[in-house]
Amino acid sequence: PIVPGQGTVGASGDLAPLAHVALALIGEGEVDVTGSGKREAGRMSAALALKQAGIEPVELQVKEGLSFINGTQAQSAILALLVADARNLWRSAHAAAALSLEALRGTPVAFDERLHAVRPHAGQVASAQLLRELLRDSAIRESHRANDPRVQDAYSLRCTPQVLGSVLDAVEFAARTVDVELNAATDNPLVFGEEILSGGNFHGQPVAMALDVLTIALTTLAGIAERRIEAMLNPDLSQGLPPFLTPNAGLQSGFMMAQVTAAALVAEARTLCTAASVQSIPTDANQEDYVPMGMAAAAKARRVLANAQRVVAIELMCGAQGVEFHRPLEPGQGVRRGHRRGRGLGGPLTRHRPLTPDGARVAALP
């Protein structure tokens, strides 16, 4: 079905988007049959598409029309997909953070299990454990253990478990919300035996709030990644790495524009963090006088996820370049695996070349 992404306030259900889905089932509206193998594949009327597929349009019975349109399925479906992608991105963000720490000759002391046991937020504990695994057996770490004049690393390195742990806690809150919603009855009225009850289960406030929280969490993940990118490129912060991670600084700009891109993506994500779920505008002659704007929250969250994926991809590229300046010293076991995988998509930057294709390939990694 051809479904518009705008035109719903997320209460009384996602009426407009779901109506377009229902139109296709009853042989009205438009559908996209791209990939069907039909000669006429593409955008066409639902009536023609059903006829070509040998499918009879659904003839709605009592209450079925309401059941199709009076629920939160549109915003819930997007939230479910976002949660899955956010979980993957969370792990990738740790691979990027560990690469950056190795490139900047940071210390994993701040990830010691004892530190996090006395502040046992679930996400923080999981984040620190993952970082310890990634950084285990690092020769880069051992090379500066005894003679490093620094007392402690910058927050973007040292506080990674606290920040990314909070991100995971937010993602799991969204996951619990959508798990309930996908297994719930959200139309109205609902029939209980002989009794028909009119209520408000179609109201998308739980989903909209989860989407807004997820937007903030993903922006946080991207924001701390951008700070580590800057640290690797800035000779005042990079612990001896060449400016902009290029051996020919001055003649070549290296990863300079990559950091500019990351800054732009994070800035845009921050503008999208204003909560949609508090932006109620009454509708339906004020009968629907408080609405959650769930699809607006979903659209913002999707945009922020894409931005965060690209920022993490940039950090992975910069981190991979950074650790290579420490050779023959090798990073931790997990970092080595991530480095090899990333390098399969784009080699070291030794001369000017467009970075966009490399970034797109890394961002598309599952």
Side-chain angles (χ1 to χ4, degrees), residues 3-365:
V3 180
Q6 295 172 292
T8 172
V9 297
S12 265
D14 292 314
L15 292 174
L18 295 180
H20 282 77
V21 176
L23 278 175
L25 293 173
I26 65 175
E28 299 186 27
E30 286 190 303
V31 297
D32 183 351
V33 292
T34 301
S36 68
K38 298 287 186 181
R39 186 178 60 186
E40 304 84 355
R43 185 166 176 161
M44 64 177 65
S45 71
L48 177 58
L50 290 176
K51 182 178 179 181
Q52 289 182 351
I55 299 173
E56 290 294 323
V58 172
E59 292 189 12
L60 299 177
Q61 303 300 314
V62 174
K63 196 182 176 294
E64 287 183 343
L66 275 176
S67 297
F68 277 127
I69 67 173
N70 208 195
T72 64
Q73 289 85 355
Q75 57 191 290
S76 298
I78 294 174
L79 178 57
L81 294 170
L82 286 170
V83 164
D85 286 341
R87 283 170 166 165
N88 287 338
L89 181 60
W90 186 81
R91 293 188 65 83
S92 298
H94 284 78
L99 263 171
S100 297
L101 184 132
E102 294 277 43
L104 292 165
R105 299 194 311 122
T107 173
V109 168
F111 313 143
D112 189 292
E113 185 175 8
R114 292 166 294 180
L115 282 169
H116 303 282
V118 295
R119 195 196 190 199
H121 294 292
Q124 179 178 328
V125 170
S127 177
Q129 180 180 348
L130 181 52
L131 287 165
R132 290 195 301 272
E133 292 170 0
L134 289 165
L135 295 163
R136 185 175 294 122
D137 299 329
S138 168
I140 295 176
R141 160 60 175 159
E142 293 305 319
S143 72
H144 61 89
R145 181 189 290 272
N147 57 355
D148 196 328
R150 293 170 294 173
V151 176
Q152 51 195 5
D153 293 322
Y155 284 6
S156 59
L157 296 175
R158 187 184 358 146
C159 300
T160 299
Q162 288 79 7
V163 175
L164 291 185
S166 300
V167 170
L168 180 61
D169 290 339
V171 171
E172 293 309 309
F173 159 72
R176 290 191 297 273
T177 299
V178 77
D179 187 58
V180 171
E181 196 73 5
L182 290 175
N183 292 282
T186 59
D187 66 324
N188 184 63
L190 292 174
V191 180
F192 297 89
E194 298 298 319
E195 194 170 5
I196 299 174
L197 300 181
S198 180
N201 278 4
F202 49 71
H203 200 288
Q205 195 70 33
V207 180
M209 290 183 71
L211 284 160
D212 281 337
V213 169
L214 193 58
T215 299
I216 293 169
L218 292 171
T219 300
T220 300
L221 180 150
I224 194 171
E226 185 279 327
R227 288 293 79 202
R228 292 189 294 261
I229 294 167
E230 162 67 9
M232 286 186 282
L233 270 59
N234 187 334
D236 293 331
L237 305 172
S238 65
Q239 305 301 320
L241 293 172
F244 305 111
L245 295 175
T246 175
N248 299 303
L251 295 175
Q252 296 179 359
S253 57
F255 284 87
M256 179 183 71
M257 289 307 299
Q259 188 270 329
V260 171
T261 300
L265 292 169
V266 170
E268 181 184 80
R270 287 172 179 167
T271 68
L272 296 171
C273 280
T274 299
S277 58
V278 298
Q279 305 293 339
S280 175
I281 297 177
T283 59
D284 194 20
N286 220 46
Q287 176 73 8
E288 300 172 3
D289 59 349
Y290 197 81
V291 296
M293 302 297 182
M295 283 296 283
K300 295 194 301 95
R302 291 176 73 180
R303 181 78 174 184
V304 168
L305 172 75
N307 285 8
Q309 288 171 329
R310 295 183 180 104
V311 172
V312 170
I314 291 170
E315 186 183 5
L316 285 166
M317 292 162 58
C318 292
Q321 182 90 351
V323 297
E324 288 168 3
F325 288 107
H326 299 308
R327 284 179 171 168
L329 298 174
E330 291 282 359
Q333 291 182 0
V335 174
R336 288 199 293 274
R337 290 194 299 271
H339 181 267
R340 285 195 298 269
R341 190 177 187 195
R343 273 293 177 247
L345 302 172
L349 186 66
T350 57
R351 56 181 176 80
H352 277 307
R353 75 166 189 267
L355 290 172
T356 301
D358 290 5
R361 287 191 293 269
V362 175
L365 279 172

